[in-house]
Each structure stands twice: as structure tokens, then as C-alpha cells.
Amino acid sequence: EYGSDDSVYPFGLDPTWHVAENELLFFNSFKMKLSVILGIFQMFMGTCLKGLNAVYFNQKLDLLYEFIPMVLFAGSLFVYMVVLIFLKWSINWNSRMLDATCIDPDSDGWGSSDYKENDGVWLVCDQTGDGTCTPWGHSCTGYDTTEEKCSLDFGGSGDGCQPPNLITTLINIALDPSSVDEPLYEGQLGWQQFLLFVAMISVPILLLAKPFFLKREMDAEHDRRAREVVHHSDEGVAHAAEHEEEHGIGEVLIHQAIETIEFVLGMVSNTASYLRLWALSLAHSELATVFWEKAMLSTLNMNFFMTFLGYGIFAGVTFGVLLMMDVLECFLHALRLHWVEFQNKFFKADGVRFAPFSFKNVLSEAAASS
């Protein structure tokens, strides 16, 4: 039955969106969010690989003072963004917006099954205002704000009954942490302030903790070597040890500052970089629509020859543009995302240099050893 829960696709998009008036607006929003979800998932997985590398190579400082602050920073802001996206998708906004809508109790809209808040119970108000009521029994005056008409009481101007702009919500976590204008759930302000605190405290830990403990290790090593120098009465060795220590800790501080800045700013720029997936998908679908409408649909009502010719043009441009040029373009963009946005979270290029197998080298080594 049309409009029932049984007719909703469990996965994917309903084809009827392709003939809707707001098709482009809907697909733009959906593909943008989907590209952000994929990007954050891949970058977070890359950060987890950094932690696995630290465990494998027994690098305790990297695990405790790089991996953990990175996970806390990424999780408190960017993984939280993914949670908000799924939360917004899962909420029945028809019901929530109906909760803050003034309706005449005598009209056909009163008692609609779309209302799910307050167990779906409709309450008639005293009608002391303009004669209309909200579903939960508030008497409307015509000058009520959404906050006054909404029964959820989540705070802000939307009070939970108005779908928020997620980009604005995420920006305001840092720029306006004292309020949430259009909350999605109860207690959202407190949670976001806590997550912002976690993100802010993780940055100085990432920047200073590892150099601090490395400095302690260097001081301990310096004291040990100094005792050996005193024992052997070698002043030249002591001076060289001090110079080596200062040079080493300076390099560590510079390297850690670069890595901190690169990670913090990189999470923002890398997330934006994944929007290329949205742009590629949008361009691909719009090109396919144009080719179909101009080459096929425009010739179907003509004669057989024009339809045959139109199909030839449609098949040719589909194969040449969509299946060859666009696929190559998507491959290059995906390769770039894999190399830059994903691998820079863990790959250091400091392992064993790759040496391709060569019979010539094997024979040369065998001849040299014999």
C-alpha cells in the first residue's frame, strides 16, 4: 500500500525520487552526507592502524600520547558528526514537526496517525487563543514560537521539533558552545560541551606529552653517560653528549608540532576532500540523465530510424564518457584519497625498501657467493 511502512525500501533509494520535483536537492544532501560518512570511516580506520603499528612495534609513547589523543579528537568531533547524521535520518520528523503545529480540532487533520509523540495521543486544548491546538494540548495564539508549541523541551529555538542544519550545528560546537539552537535529542548541549572539552584537551597532549617523556628518557640516558664520563674523566665526551641531547629534543619538538598541526587541520581538510565523491557521483548521474533524455527519450516518439540512431548515440556516449572517461576519473580520485587522506594517518615509509624479484639478481648473487 502506498505510504505504508511495508513500501519503504530497507536499503537503497526509491526510484520515485527520480521523478520528484526536489530530486536534485534530495540527492545532493544524501550524497554529501554519504561521502562524509565514508571519508570519516576510512580516516578513522587509518588512525586505528597507527595504533596497531604502535602495538606491533612496541612503541608505548606513540600508543599512549599519539594514537589515543588522535582517536579522542577524531571521535569527539568527526565521528560525532556521523552519529548526528544517522540520528537525523532515524528521527520521524513528520511526527516531531506535527507536535509543534497548530491545528483546528474540528478539521480533518486532527487525530492523524502520523503523530507518534506522547504515545500518539491527541489532546484538545481549552481553545482560549485563536481556536487551534497543538496535538499535545497547547492552546495557540498565532504568535507562539516553535519552542512554546513543542512538547519535547530539548532547548533552543527548535526545542527538538525542527530538523537542524547539521553543518551549522557542528560549527557552533566550537564557535557557540553555550547553546544548541536546534537540538536533536535531550541533553545535547551537555554532551557537545563534554566532547568539545575532550577535543581541546587532546590537542596539547598530542603536542607536548611525547616530547616531555622523550626528554625524561634523554635526561636519564644523559645522566647515565655523564656518570660514565666522570668515571673515565673525559670532558670532551660530556660536551658531545649535551650537544647531542639538545639537538635531539629540538628535532622531536619540531616534528611533534608539525604532526599535531597536520593531524588537527588535516582532519578538517581531508573530510572536505572526500566531498569529491559527492561531486563525481552528482556529475555521473546528471550526465547519464542528459544522455538518456536527449539521445533516447527525444527520439522514441519519432520513426524507427531516428530511434535506432538515437540508441546508437546513447550507447556510444554512455560507453565512451560514462564507462571509460568517468570510470578512469573516479579511479584516480579514489586512488588519491587512499594515498593522501587514508595512508597519511599511519604510513611513514620507513620500512624495508621494496625490491622486485629478479632472476638476474639471484644469479648474480649466487655467482658472487660461489
Side-chain angles (χ1 to χ4, degrees), residues 50 69 164 269-270:
K50 181 183 180 68
S269 62
N270 293 165

Side-chain angles (χ1 to χ4, degrees), residues 103-356:
I103 304 174
D104 187 348
D106 298 325
S107 67
D108 295 335
W110 187 264
S112 171
S113 59
D114 291 339
Y115 184 63
K116 307 297 182 184
E117 311 301 322
N118 301 315
D119 297 325
V121 178
W122 291 70
L123 301 175
V124 179
C125 63
D126 55 16
Q127 297 180 286
T128 55
D130 58 4
T132 60
C133 307
T134 61
W136 57 279
H138 173 75
S139 181
C140 300
T141 63
Y143 302 99
D144 307 272
T145 62
T146 303
E147 184 180 0
E148 293 171 337
K149 292 184 291 184
C150 183
S151 67
L152 299 178
D153 197 24
F154 290 171
S157 62
D159 213 29
C161 290
Q162 186 171 330
N165 185 318
L166 291 183
I167 296 178
T168 303
T169 300
L170 292 165
I171 291 174
N172 285 339
I173 291 177
L175 298 184
D176 187 16
S178 61
S179 64
V180 179
D181 192 40
E182 297 172 343
L184 282 165
Y185 58 91
E186 189 174 7
Q188 183 172 344
L189 176 60
W191 271 107
Q192 289 185 177
Q193 288 175 338
F194 170 74
L195 293 174
L196 179 62
F197 172 78
V198 171
M200 292 181 66
I201 203 66
S202 64
V203 174
I205 293 175
L206 179 62
L207 176 64
L208 301 173
K210 182 180 176 180
F212 172 75
F213 286 102
L214 281 176
K215 178 68 164 57
R216 288 182 58 181
E217 291 181 359
M218 289 180 179
D219 288 343
E221 178 66 17
H222 172 68
D223 292 341
R224 185 188 66 79
R225 295 177 64 180
R227 285 193 297 270
E228 293 179 358
V229 169
V230 170
H231 181 71
H232 294 89
S233 301
D234 192 343
E235 296 181 0
V237 176
H239 178 73
E242 291 179 2
H243 179 73
E244 180 182 347
E245 177 196 358
E246 293 175 0
H247 182 68
I249 194 62
E251 284 187 349
V252 170
L253 283 170
I254 293 173
H255 178 270
Q256 196 65 23
I258 292 174
E259 186 161 352
T260 302
I261 295 171
E262 186 181 49
F263 177 80
V264 173
L265 298 183
M267 283 298 298
V268 179
S269 62
N270 293 165
T271 302
S273 185
Y274 276 92
L275 293 177
R276 69 183 67 234
L277 299 175
W278 158 54
L280 288 170
S281 177
L282 180 64
H284 188 96
S285 62
E286 291 303 309
L287 281 174
T289 301
V290 169
F291 293 156
W292 171 254
E293 291 179 353
K294 300 302 180 182
M296 280 300 298
L297 292 185
S298 61
T299 58
L300 286 177
N301 295 327
M302 300 181 185
N303 54 50
F304 170 80
F305 176 76
M306 291 302 296
T307 302
F308 180 79
L309 182 63
Y311 173 76
I313 296 173
F314 172 72
V317 295
T318 298
F319 180 78
V321 177
L322 298 182
L323 297 182
M324 292 182 67
M325 186 182 72
D326 260 16
V327 168
L328 177 62
E329 182 183 11
C330 293
F331 165 73
L332 293 175
H333 280 288
L335 188 65
R336 190 261 184 199
L337 289 172
H338 186 78
W339 176 253
V340 178
E341 277 72 22
F342 172 60
Q343 292 199 143
N344 73 352
K345 299 293 184 292
F346 66 93
F347 183 65
K348 300 298 182 184
D350 56 357
V352 179
R353 184 175 180 179
F354 173 71

Side-chain angles (χ1 to χ4, degrees), residues 79-98:
V79 176
Y80 177 67
M81 175 167 58
V82 175
V83 172
L84 287 183
I85 290 174
F86 280 106
L87 187 60
K88 185 178 179 180
W89 281 346
S90 64
I91 290 174
N92 186 345
W93 289 109
N94 287 335
S95 174
R96 284 202 180 185
M97 289 189 291
L98 193 59

